[in-house]
Amino acid sequence: MNREVLAVRHVYFEDLGSFERVLGERGRLVRYLDIGFARLHALNPVSASLMVILGGPINACDDARYPTLGPLAALIEKRIAAGLPTLGICLGAQLIARVLGARVYAAPQAEIGWSPLTLTDAGRASPARHLDGEATSMLHWHGDTFDLPQGATRLASTSVCENQAFAWGKHVLALQCHPEVRADRFEPWLIGHAAEIAHAGVDINALRADTARLGPRLEEQASRMFGEWLDAVDAPAHS
């Protein structure tokens, strides 16, 4: 089995977080591809066993100002078309929605901070059940949202954002929220997103305290979710 995981990273501190530990425990080898440095046109999107597209503070459709978005979307499209496991987080989820033909646009308000997810029936029947609001709170950090792509299954919502998580087939999972965050590595988020925090009027000390209090439980539940999803996408198809 191919053990390589390709993680597409837009800003250094929004990495795989707790998911990287799950991958390490399974002997999976992570290779980060840092946007802005990588030669996207030379990348083979189907060579890794898993591709994860991570978050970042740009709009998924702003190709005019961020010319890396078009080539990255093309890679994601090829990956999904090949039926290979693909996971998107925040901006990554928005890019997956874009590739699947859905509209990505500014949300009515920025959603930054901790609040629980409300799962759909499909979500409760999937690995996302570990992220249910009765089991853990969730970190949110986005100003954009998206329509549910045609053929996708909504898994979770919040009062601010109807499409917090969706599955497309067996091999694609998109998470608008941030289950991967690690409480012990959260301070760079507060530094790197200082302007966004101030613009949204978020109390930075309260956000730091909430993360210290709620983060460890989320790490446990998110690790369960991610591990179970990996089991499902790695399972051989039945003939």
Side-chain angles (χ1 to χ4, degrees):
M1 174 184 175
N2 181 357
R3 311 300 294 178
E4 184 183 61
V5 175
L6 178 64
V8 179
R9 181 167 55 185
H10 293 87
V11 289
Y12 83 95
F13 52 83
E14 292 197 35
D15 57 17
L16 284 166
S18 63
F19 289 0
E20 190 159 355
R21 291 192 291 207
V22 176
L23 292 166
E25 289 167 358
R26 291 162 176 256
R28 306 290 284 269
L29 305 175
V30 174
R31 176 167 66 95
Y32 281 100
L33 180 120
D34 287 299
I35 295 296
F37 297 100
R39 294 172 58 238
L40 291 176
H41 294 287
L43 182 69
N44 179 359
V46 302
S47 62
S49 63
L50 169 66
M51 176 186 277
V52 184
I53 308 97
L54 296 164
I58 60 176
N59 179 280
C61 299
D62 195 0
D63 296 38
R65 293 195 296 175
Y66 299 99
T68 58
L69 288 167
L72 178 55
L75 293 175
I76 296 169
E77 185 173 18
K78 291 177 183 176
R79 174 97 191 167
I80 291 175
L84 295 171
T86 307
L87 169 64
I89 298 174
C90 194
L91 174 59
Q94 295 162 6
L95 282 163
I96 288 175
R98 166 186 167 167
V99 163
L100 294 176
R103 184 172 65 108
V104 182
Y105 52 94
Q109 66 186 74
E111 190 174 24
I112 301 176
W114 288 82
S115 65
L117 294 177
T118 300
L119 267 61
T120 63
D121 289 343
R124 286 187 289 271
S126 77
R129 71 181 183 277
H130 297 290
L131 304 180
D132 186 81
E134 295 184 1
T136 181
S137 193
M138 177 62 64
L139 179 69
H140 306 276
W141 204 304
H142 64 99
D144 291 340
T145 188
F146 48 80
D147 293 335
L148 188 69
Q150 184 175 1
T153 301
R154 182 183 296 113
L155 303 178
S157 302
T158 62
S159 60
V160 174
C161 178
E162 184 177 25
N163 296 315
Q164 283 286 352
F166 71 82
W168 194 82
K170 174 186 173 181
H171 62 292
V172 177
L173 178 63
L175 303 165
Q176 174 84 302
C177 50
H178 282 282
E180 84 290 359
V181 70
R182 283 180 52 176
D184 62 348
R185 290 166 55 178
F186 188 61
E187 195 65 22
W189 289 60
L190 302 178
I191 297 168
H193 291 315
E196 186 178 12
I197 293 170
H199 180 73
V202 174
D203 183 331
I204 193 169
N205 290 316
L207 180 55
R208 183 185 288 112
D210 286 346
T211 303
R213 177 172 55 90
L214 300 170
R217 178 61 176 171
L218 175 58
E219 291 176 39
E220 294 176 4
Q221 294 301 107
S223 294
R224 293 187 178 102
M225 182 281 297
F226 186 48
E228 190 171 304
W229 183 76
L230 287 173
D231 289 340
V233 297
D234 288 343
H238 295 290
S239 58

